[in-house]
Amino acid sequence: MLPIDDAALTAYLVPRFLNYVRIWTTSDRHPQATPSTPGQWDLAKLLAEELRGLGLADVTLTDHCYVIARLPATPGRGGTEGPIAPTIGLLAHLDTSSDAPGKDVHPQLVKNYNGKRIELADGLALDPAAEPDLAAQQGGDIIHTDGTTLLGADDKAGIAEIMGAVEYLLAHPEIEHGPVEIIFTPDEETGAGLPELPLDTLKAVACYTLDGGPMGELEIECFNAYGVEVQFTGKVIHPGTARGILVNAALMASSFAAMLPRPESPEATDGYYGYYCLMSIEGNHETASAELILRDFDHDGVLRRVAALERFAAAVEAQFPGGKVTVNAKRQYLNMREKIEERPEVLEKLKTAAANVGVAFKLKPIRGGTDGSRLTELGIPTPNIFTGGHNFHSRIEWLSVSEMTAACKLVIELVRLWRA
Ligand SMILES: [Zn+2]
């Protein structure tokens, strides 16, 4: 095992994290451009500056707010002499979810947590009785919200861990490693960020996202994801003379929504079960629309759901003669498992690194996706590593400082293991 000083690492991580979460980077779920919100530039510029400040010469901030930087190999590992080590990528995202407020985050650092219930704003609380992971933090340090916003550990914990690892490796040239590519992306939460990534400039043969949750969770498997827009068109007439003529699009939409199988909703499923999720519904007599996401670990499973929505649309048309329903499904990302398994060393090195730094790992399916899912599809296998964050996308989000330190240590060991 690497003799890494936990306290030194924590000292790199905590101030960085507290600084990053104060920058407002909430993304817009209906992006018009990349990045979808201007605040993401503030964090990207800061990170580019910090990376240059650490001494990296190769730091790029692209026109679309991607930070791409390279940490050169230690002598003898980069190709001038000795074995040539492959380039490994480390990836995290700049934006935070729009599911909860993300402006004016006031992170609360609790040292030596006493294990008791923590009251937050608006009647919210962190309750160790309901959260065994939180209870287990007694005696350690945690960082939580004040209850008015999310924390942004998703994914600023990942960013801090990558930055901390880079800083530590630069301060410890005795830890030999190959070239490392650092990639910070905008708009991960919108699912729209990756298309602007200048893929042809990347050198990484494998990547790791730091975008997972609690200690030890490693992820090589995610949903197959489709987004669906359903349009309902009715027939309008004054309600006073509507008998036999009006076709009410708002009612068509509500009828469609009522057909969605509740046992296959996100709130009724976990583990390997997929779902239909109604995201929004709006409309009037003339037109209405509904937005859904479909998820399944099995590709046939998600296609079955697309086909079911088309059948529901036909059923609504039959119920509302003269009305029209169109279903437009778009693929968002695919399960990355198969592509990662084609390159077994990518997972093997990750498992070995975890074991070497004393992290008991568990492989867990992601009930979502990451930029890593999309990057894997594009040919760079990209598993996901835990960050130590809990309750993502909520006002009760919190971060374990010891888990953040463990994730950073794991990254350092992983980078070391990829040396040729
Ligand atoms: Zn994330």
Side-chain angles (χ1 to χ4, degrees), residues 93 154-155 188-189 211 392:
H93 63 89
D154 177 11
D155 189 22
E188 191 271 349
E189 299 289 1
D211 193 15
F392 283 175

Side-chain angles (χ1 to χ4, degrees), residues 30-288:
H30 297 282
Q32 303 293 319
T34 308
S36 64
T37 51
Q40 297 182 65
W41 281 112
D42 298 337
L43 180 55
K45 284 176 188 163
L46 174 73
L47 292 168
E49 251 170 61
E50 286 187 355
L51 287 162
R52 288 191 191 106
L54 288 174
L56 297 197
D58 187 354
V59 180
T60 307
L61 176 55
T62 76
D63 291 347
H64 288 284
C65 200
Y66 291 82
V67 181
I68 299 170
R70 292 187 185 90
L71 172 69
T74 48
R77 304 284 173 182
T80 47
E81 52 186 271
I84 301 171
T87 300
I88 290 308
L90 299 173
L91 186 78
H93 63 89
L94 300 162
D95 64 320
T96 56
S97 164
S98 57
D99 291 350
K103 194 182 179 194
D104 297 324
V105 173
H106 298 113
Q108 311 287 307
L109 170 61
V110 178
K111 293 202 165 183
N112 195 12
Y113 169 52
N114 62 13
K116 297 203 170 110
R117 183 181 159 97
I118 299 171
E119 302 297 333
L120 306 173
D122 298 335
L124 295 173
L126 291 178
D127 184 3
E131 264 194 84
D133 283 354
L134 179 62
Q137 300 299 315
Q138 187 171 357
D141 299 350
I142 60 168
I143 301 172
H144 62 81
T145 67
D146 66 1
T148 62
T149 65
L150 48 66
L151 179 62
D154 177 11
D155 189 22
K156 288 158 184 175
I159 293 179
E161 286 150 13
I162 293 172
M163 294 296 287
V166 170
E167 190 169 4
Y168 194 89
L169 287 166
L170 285 164
H172 293 271
E174 75 278 8
I175 302 175
E176 293 196 330
H177 60 83
V180 181
E181 203 158 52
I182 298 124
I183 307 162
F184 297 131
T185 60
D187 284 319
E188 191 271 349
E189 299 289 1
T190 70
L194 216 60
E196 301 295 346
L197 177 69
L199 195 65
D200 52 333
T201 68
L202 298 188
K203 296 179 178 167
V205 298
C207 247
Y208 296 88
T209 39
L210 273 289
D211 193 15
M215 177 81 145
E217 289 182 1
L218 306 178
E219 298 160 324
I220 60 158
E221 195 168 6
C222 63
F223 277 138
N224 295 288
Y226 279 67
V228 185
E229 281 174 12
V230 189
Q231 289 293 333
F232 304 87
T233 310
K235 270 193 185 155
V236 199
I237 183 116
H238 188 287
T241 54
R243 185 167 188 171
I245 303 169
L246 174 69
V247 181
N248 186 334
L251 277 180
M252 291 168 69
S254 94
S255 175
F256 180 89
M259 290 179 192
L260 297 173
R262 294 297 303 278
E264 294 183 52
S265 62
E267 61 271 33
T269 51
D270 57 16
Y272 278 99
Y273 288 94
Y275 59 73
Y276 300 81
C277 179
L278 180 64
M279 300 297 286
S280 70
I281 185 164
E282 59 185 37
N284 51 37
H285 283 183
E286 190 168 29
T287 60

